[in-house]
Every structure is written in structure tokens, then in C-alpha cells.
Amino acid sequence: MNTSQTTMVTGGAGYIGSHITHELLKNGHQVVVFDNLSSGQRRLIPDGAYFTKGDVRDQTHLENVLKINRCTAVIHCAGLISVSESVNAPQKYYEHNVVGTAALLRAMQRHDIDRFIFSSSAAVYGNTEMELISENAPLKPSSPYAENKRDAERLIRHASRWGLASISLRYFNAAGADPAGRTGECHQPETHLIPLLIRKACAPDTEPFSVFGDDYPTDDGTCVRDYVHVSDLARAHVLALESLIRTPRSDVYNLGTGRGWSVREVIDTVIALTGRQLDTVVRPRRPGDPASLVADPTRAEIELQWTARASIEDIIRSAWRWEQKQHRYPAKRQIH
Ligand code: UDP
């Protein structure tokens, strides 16, 4: 193991953070997971990582953990993630997502830790006319959650004044699960399209699936998103960290596939792959949802040598396998 590189992953017990932790360990990094377990789960943390239960708003605790473990870098994934909840609880979101990031940056500054990767989001772009969104598209966040990501990115950029090298990774729609079945998505409550569809396909009930709005300015009227496999995202973090170690700078990259899928197309793909029928009902638009978010991933391809490898089918298959493993639903039909 490479003892010179110890990386703290905040939110490392969560969906994306646990995949990143696996990928770091695979690449010879030591990992300290810092997570308050408010939504993350202990069982998702890989055995090879150290774990400390803590909250990123607690600067003193962060400082102790960074110091004791001689951390050299931080990957910051901890945060609240529900767009709709953020509309109803903007102050809570600000405290966790912006104030928490500020506390973490102060703790790092105090201990001269100057490599930082941030879990940002394509939500910072908000409603845009652009078919493919590049990093220099205007930022027009349409929810408190998205504003938090923009504000945190700004704080991180400002920290370059004291020497912080940072990369903010703007995820498009993370989905799927670890192909080896070690970790996956288990948000409570779940609000995301693919895991909700998979749950419905695994355990059908009489309630039709809600499609939030079919009057958007898209081909079939439903929202379009760029779904990227969570293991592809995890790989991008390791590449970004290694790139930052080689070339310190303050930068931002989109992580997406460059291909959009409408809600209707995703539903049809889940039906085709699982063989389960899913009835749908159109409900009003969900507040804060932009019509279309599709990445132009060119910068990450060129500068990080990163490309999303998994297809939408790979994403859905891995999510299906993970969900069945969680609840031991009988696999009436194998999908290959
Ligand atoms: N969506 C939907 N029904 C659901 C959950 C989500 O129609 O039960 C839609 C949602 O309005 C958005 C898209 O699916 O247009 C993707 O939503 P998700 O929450 O997965 O990701 P987001 O883009 O909001 O981060």
C-alpha cells in the first residue's frame, strides 16, 4: 500500500462516496471515511478503509482526524442531496452543504492539506438552452441545492489564495451500482428515477409510477438527463486526484456521457430489460427540475483521460442486480 497518500473521503459511507472509496483502495491509496451516517450506511464502507463517525460542520473533529491520519488530500462527498427537500428546507441545506464545506476548507488550511476534490453537480447549470453543456456554460441554479453547489465551488476556488489545489466534478445523473455487488444505492427516502423504477419492477404494486411533467420542451415532453454509471464517476475521482497531485490547479469538469435519455425512454428501457410491466401516471412538474441536462464531457476526456464506459443498459442491469441482492427478491427473469 502507498503509505504516502492518505485520502479522507467525507460521505464515504454514502452511495457515491463508497464507490469512490473502493476505487481509491484498488489504486493503492489509504482511505479515511468521515461520515455522520445520517444517510450513509456503515455496511457500505469497504473493509480496507478506516472509519470515523463525524459531521463536516464540526471543524475541530475534522482537524483531529486529518492530523491523526496524516491525510494528504480530501474528496468531499458529504452533503444533503434532495432537490425537492432543499426547496422546503433551504437553511438546513445551506448549513450542511455550504457551511460544512467552509469548515472542511478551514480545517485543511490549518493543517496544510492542499489537494481537494469536490462532488459538485450539473444542477449548477439549471435551465439552459444548450443541447450539450460545457463547463463554461452560465450557472443558473434553479433550487437551493443547486445554489449550494455553486456557492461551495466558489468557496473552494477562493481557497486557491492560500494554496489549495482543487477540482470540482460536476456530476450529471449518477446511477447504477458496483458491478461486483459490494455497494449500491439505498437512499431513504429514495427520490431518484432509476432506483425507484427498479424497486417498482422488483416489487410491483397497484400504484402507477409517477412521471413528473410531460409538458417540457423536449421530444416527448418529459425531462432529459445524462445518466452516468457510479463506478465511472468513482474512476474519475481517482484520475482527478492523481492529475491534481501531478499538476496543482483550480479546475472544474463535467462528468457525463454526452447522451441524454428522457424519463419515458428510461421507463421503456427498464421494462425491456426486466420484462416487468410498469404503469405510469403523469403528475405535475417537480419544483426545481430543469428540462434537460446533458454533458459535453470533452474536457474530462482530454485532460483527465476519462470517458464514461457504461451504457444505460449496464446502469439499469447493475441497479437491478443490487436491488435484488438487497431484498432477496426472487429473480423471476435473469437479465444478461
Ligand atoms: N422523475 C420522475 N418520477 C420519479 C422520480 C424522478 O418523473 O418518481 C423524473 C424527475 O422529475 C427528473 C428525472 O426523473 O426529471 C430525473 O430525476 P432524478 O431525481 O433521478 O435526478 P435529478 O435530475 O433530479 O438529479
Side-chain angles (χ1 to χ4, degrees):
M1 189 175 285
N2 178 357
T3 50
S4 62
Q5 292 301 330
T6 301
T7 302
M8 173 189 275
V9 180
T10 73
Y15 170 47
I16 298 176
S18 61
H19 286 83
I20 293 170
T21 301
H22 275 293
E23 191 67 16
L24 285 165
L25 292 169
K26 189 177 116 189
N27 284 276
H29 295 248
Q30 295 213 53
V31 184
V32 177
V33 166
F34 189 92
D35 196 303
N36 66 6
L37 299 184
S38 65
S39 58
Q41 296 185 24
R42 186 84 177 77
R43 70 184 173 108
L44 300 185
I45 303 170
D47 288 341
Y50 298 98
F51 170 61
T52 300
K53 187 173 176 192
D55 190 297
V56 285
R57 293 166 297 171
D58 185 347
Q59 186 183 333
T60 310
H61 191 187
L62 279 167
E63 285 191 35
N64 286 336
V65 177
L66 289 169
K67 195 167 92 184
I68 290 165
N69 292 286
R70 298 202 171 99
C71 294
T72 48
V74 174
I75 297 181
H76 181 33
C77 302
L80 302 176
I81 58 154
S82 163
V83 169
S84 49
E85 191 194 12
S86 79
V87 173
N88 297 320
Q91 187 173 330
K92 174 178 159 193
Y93 267 65
Y94 191 86
E95 281 164 11
H96 282 263
N97 294 350
V98 184
V99 177
T101 303
L104 176 56
L105 293 171
R106 276 195 302 272
M108 291 176 69
Q109 181 179 13
R110 294 263 309 224
H111 296 277
D112 290 325
I113 298 162
D114 60 0
R115 298 288 188 274
F116 190 72
I117 307 289
F118 179 54
S119 285
S120 189
S121 168
V124 295
Y125 297 116
N127 274 305
T128 164
E129 301 289 295
M130 295 167 92
E131 212 165 300
L132 292 182
I133 303 170
S134 68
E135 288 81 353
N136 45 27
L139 304 189
K140 294 188 283 182
S142 62
S143 66
Y145 164 78
E147 288 170 5
N148 293 167
K149 291 294 182 188
R150 178 204 55 195
D151 294 348
E153 277 193 16
R154 199 176 284 161
L155 282 175
I156 293 161
R157 239 184 354 264
H158 289 165
S160 63
R161 294 197 191 127
W162 58 260
L164 185 75
S166 68
I167 289 179
S168 291
L169 295 173
R170 292 178 180 158
Y171 311 156
F172 282 66
N173 285 59
D178 176 42
R182 297 167 298 181
T183 181
E185 201 159 10
C186 31
H187 299 122
Q188 279 305 344
E190 186 54 79
T191 60
H192 293 106
L193 179 66
I194 290 181
L196 284 175
L197 283 169
I198 294 290
R199 283 186 191 178
K200 198 68 135 181
C202 280
D205 56 24
T206 50
E207 275 288 297
F209 187 83
S210 298
V211 172
F212 296 134
D214 68 350
D215 56 352
Y216 284 96
T218 59
D219 285 349
D220 65 16
T222 64
C223 287
V224 170
R225 295 288 183 272
D226 181 342
Y227 295 92
V228 53
H229 196 289
V230 62
S231 298
D232 278 327
L233 288 184
R235 193 165 43 81
H237 288 71
V238 177
L239 291 171
L241 181 57
E242 288 169 353
S243 163
L244 207 53
I245 291 166
R246 280 192 308 274
T247 317
R249 61 195 188 279
S250 179
D251 228 329
V252 51
Y253 294 95
N254 284 341
L255 297 182
T257 67
R259 158 76 154 101
W261 297 84
S262 74
V263 172
R264 286 260 178 242
E265 287 177 315
V266 174
I267 293 171
D268 290 346
T269 311
V270 171
I271 292 171
L273 287 175
T274 64
R276 305 286 166 89
Q277 193 44 49
L278 289 169
D279 296 327
T280 61
V281 60
V282 177
R283 305 245 187 240
R285 291 180 178 198
R286 202 170 61 173
D289 273 348
S292 175
L293 286 173
V294 182
D296 174 351
T298 312
R299 275 194 81 197
E301 281 167 18
I302 294 172
E303 296 183 19
L304 301 178
Q305 285 78 53
W306 176 84
T307 313
R309 294 174 183 155
S311 65
I312 190 80
E313 288 83 5
D314 296 332
I315 290 171
I316 290 168
R317 279 190 203 101
S318 63
W320 168 261
R321 278 196 295 269
W322 171 253
E323 192 61 24
Q324 287 184 323
K325 188 173 167 191
Q326 296 318 290
H327 302 288
R328 302 185 203 289
Y329 291 121
K332 290 198 184 119
R333 183 179 157 191
Q334 289 291 338
I335 52 176
H336 301 288

